[in-house]
């Protein structure tokens, strides 16, 4: 997969690109990530990327020209007339694991990181094919959102994660939160790890983990538990867990 990222701050991506999973995926040629400084696509002497908002108001708006030209040059380089092009914006559809899987199915992606008070709306309307937000909070720019999207998508690409990691056991794939994990020592500062996990009873451990997943999801994310189809056994585990606590 190739991902082209348009940004005013390409240096922000250095950490993400060098981290273990991403670094290895890139070395192995599983993903090719290209950074483009939007400023390099201006033609004026001072490389101006923003301007005052029409109609007045605070802040600056990113101009459309360098963004359109950068996207068009990437398309030309790839020999493609249409590349899935995502604008990161708080107005976009809310990113989740399902959208990550959808994006991981593409050969190419272009991500546009906006800044300041916004991006000229013609970019969203006539250049981007999609608008994505990573949550209902306001970042100072699209870079952190783009990094979240790239990280989620790249780990779904074939060969990126070792075969020891099961993708579909992860939180949110199945619609439930992950069960709690423990490691040695068995007792730390008087805090014991749950004895079932040290028992060697594999069926008992699986049952306990399923019950913990159900309980955490019901307590912390009632929105998720409503969506997931619970088996009769799940319902038993959940009511048993609530009985133990009360
Ligand atoms: C993009 N906040 S996505 C650009 N939640 C600026 C802010 C912002 C995004 C998000």
């Amino acid at each position: 997969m190739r991902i082209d990222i348009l940004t005013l701050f390409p240096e922000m991506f250095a950490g993400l690109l060098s981290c273990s999973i991403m670094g290895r995926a890139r070395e192995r040629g599983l993903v090719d990530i290209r950074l483009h400084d939007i400023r390099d696509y201006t033609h004026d002497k001072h490389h101006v990327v923003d301007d005052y908002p029409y109609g007045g108001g605070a802040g600056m708006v990113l101009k459309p020209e360098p963004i359109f030209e950068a996207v068009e040059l990437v398309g030309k380089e790839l020999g493609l007339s249409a590349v899935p092009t995502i604008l990161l914006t708080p107005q976009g559809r809310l990113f989740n694991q399902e959208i990550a899987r959808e994006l991981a199915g593409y050969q190419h992606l272009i991500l546009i990181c906006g800044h300041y008070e916004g991006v000229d709306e013609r970019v969203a309307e006539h250049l981007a094919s999609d608008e994505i937000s990573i949550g209902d909070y306001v970042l100072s720019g699209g870079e952190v959102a783009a990094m979240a999207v790239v990280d989620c998508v790249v780990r779904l690409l074939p060969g990126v994660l070792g075969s020891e990691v099961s993708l579909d056991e992860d939180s949110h794939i199945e619609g439930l939160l992950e069960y709690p994990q423990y490691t040695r020592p068995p007792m730390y500062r008087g805090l014991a790890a749950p004895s079932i996990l040290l028992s060697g009873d594999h069926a008992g451990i699986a049952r306990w983990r399923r019950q913990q997943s159900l309980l955490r999801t019901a307590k912390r994310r009632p929105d998720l538990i409503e969506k997931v189809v619970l088996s009769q056994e799940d319902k038993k585990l959940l009511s048993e867990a609530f009985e133990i606590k009360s």
Side-chain angles (χ1 to χ4, degrees), residues 87-92 94 112-116 118-119 132-146:
L87 176 65
L88 284 314
T89 162
Q91 281 81 45
L94 198 51
I112 303 170
C113 306
H115 249 264
Y116 306 114
V119 179
I132 286 178
S133 168
I134 61 164
D136 292 332
Y137 39 80
V138 181
L139 300 165
S140 50
E143 283 77 12
V144 168

Side-chain angles (χ1 to χ4, degrees), residues 176 207-208 210-220 222 225-226 228-246:
L176 291 178
R207 187 179 181 281
W208 180 86
R210 182 76 188 173
Q211 189 169 46
Q212 290 292 315
S213 280
L214 291 162
L215 184 61
R216 300 196 136 180
T217 311
K219 285 200 300 190
R220 301 181 186 189
I225 204 90
E226 271 172 38
V228 52
V229 185
L230 300 181
S231 67
Q232 281 307 112
E233 174 67 10
D234 285 338
K235 290 177 189 167
K236 261 171 57 188
L237 287 172
L238 196 51
S239 53
E240 181 192 298
F242 276 120
E243 279 161 26
I244 291 168
K245 291 199 323 108
S246 55

Side-chain angles (χ1 to χ4, degrees), residues 26-65:
R26 290 171 64 231
E27 280 167 25
R28 295 169 60 200
L30 301 173
V31 65
D32 178 7
I33 297 174
R34 312 274 183 105
L35 292 164
H36 304 271
D37 189 333
I38 294 169
R39 211 170 282 284
D40 294 341
Y41 295 83
T42 56
H43 300 292
D44 62 304
K45 184 169 151 202
H46 299 287
H47 304 288
V48 176
V49 293
D50 57 2
D51 206 339
Y52 299 97
Y54 275 136
M60 301 293 273
V61 176
L62 286 189
K63 297 164 62 61
E65 305 98 310

Side-chain angles (χ1 to χ4, degrees):
M1 176 182 228
R2 172 166 153 175
I3 305 174
D4 288 78
I5 302 170
L6 278 55
T7 169
L8 290 172
F9 301 98
E11 66 280 2
M12 282 183 71
F13 291 84
L16 173 78
L17 296 192
S18 64
C19 87
S20 58
I21 288 181
M22 196 70 56
R24 201 167 342 117
R26 290 171 64 231
E27 280 167 25
R28 295 169 60 200
L30 301 173
V31 65
D32 178 7
I33 297 174
R34 312 274 183 105
L35 292 164
H36 304 271
D37 189 333
I38 294 169
R39 211 170 282 284
D40 294 341
Y41 295 83
T42 56
H43 300 292
D44 62 304
K45 184 169 151 202
H46 299 287
H47 304 288
V48 176
V49 293
D50 57 2
D51 206 339
Y52 299 97
Y54 275 136
M60 301 293 273
V61 176
L62 286 189
K63 297 164 62 61
E65 305 98 310
I67 299 175
F68 269 76
E69 290 186 34
V71 168
E72 284 160 3
L73 278 168
V74 169
K76 261 187 202 149
E77 191 190 334
L78 292 169
L80 296 170
S81 56
V83 178
T85 300
I86 298 164
L87 176 65
L88 284 314
T89 162
Q91 281 81 45
R93 61 178 172 143
L94 198 51
F95 190 62
N96 60 23
Q97 197 63 31
E98 185 185 344
I99 297 175
R101 270 186 261 118
E102 173 193 327
L103 301 184
Y106 292 118
Q107 267 323 300
H108 305 285
L109 281 181
I110 298 175
L111 302 181
I112 303 170
C113 306
H115 249 264
Y116 306 114
E117 267 45 54
V119 179
D120 186 286
E121 188 63 18
R122 287 167 288 197
V123 170
E125 285 289 305
H126 303 284
L127 185 68
S129 50
D130 200 357
E131 294 172 72
I132 286 178
S133 168
I134 61 164
D136 292 332
Y137 39 80
V138 181
L139 300 165
S140 50
E143 283 77 12
V144 168
M147 285 188 241
V149 169
V150 169
D151 188 85
C152 286
V153 168
V154 169
R155 66 187 289 288
L156 295 178
L157 300 179
V160 168
L161 292 190
S163 52
E164 74 276 10
V165 188
S166 162
L167 283 173
D168 39 58
E169 265 187 29
D170 278 16
S171 295
H172 289 110
I173 304 248
E174 223 204 329
L176 291 178
L177 299 184
E178 197 53 278
Y179 50 77
Q181 299 275 23
Y182 292 85
T183 187
R184 290 182 287 183
M187 182 72 78
Y188 177 65
R189 298 190 177 183
L191 305 170
S195 56
I196 183 74
L197 298 178
L198 290 80
S199 68
D201 172 4
H202 298 294
I205 291 169
R207 187 179 181 281
W208 180 86
R209 285 180 165 169
R210 182 76 188 173
Q211 189 169 46
Q212 290 292 315
S213 280
L214 291 162
L215 184 61
R216 300 196 136 180
T217 311
K219 285 200 300 190
R220 301 181 186 189
R221 296 293 305 275
D223 58 312
L224 293 182
I225 204 90
E226 271 172 38
K227 283 188 216 149
V228 52
V229 185
L230 300 181
S231 67
Q232 281 307 112
E233 174 67 10
D234 285 338
K235 290 177 189 167
K236 261 171 57 188
L237 287 172
L238 196 51
S239 53
E240 181 192 298
F242 276 120
E243 279 161 26
I244 291 168
K245 291 199 323 108
S246 55

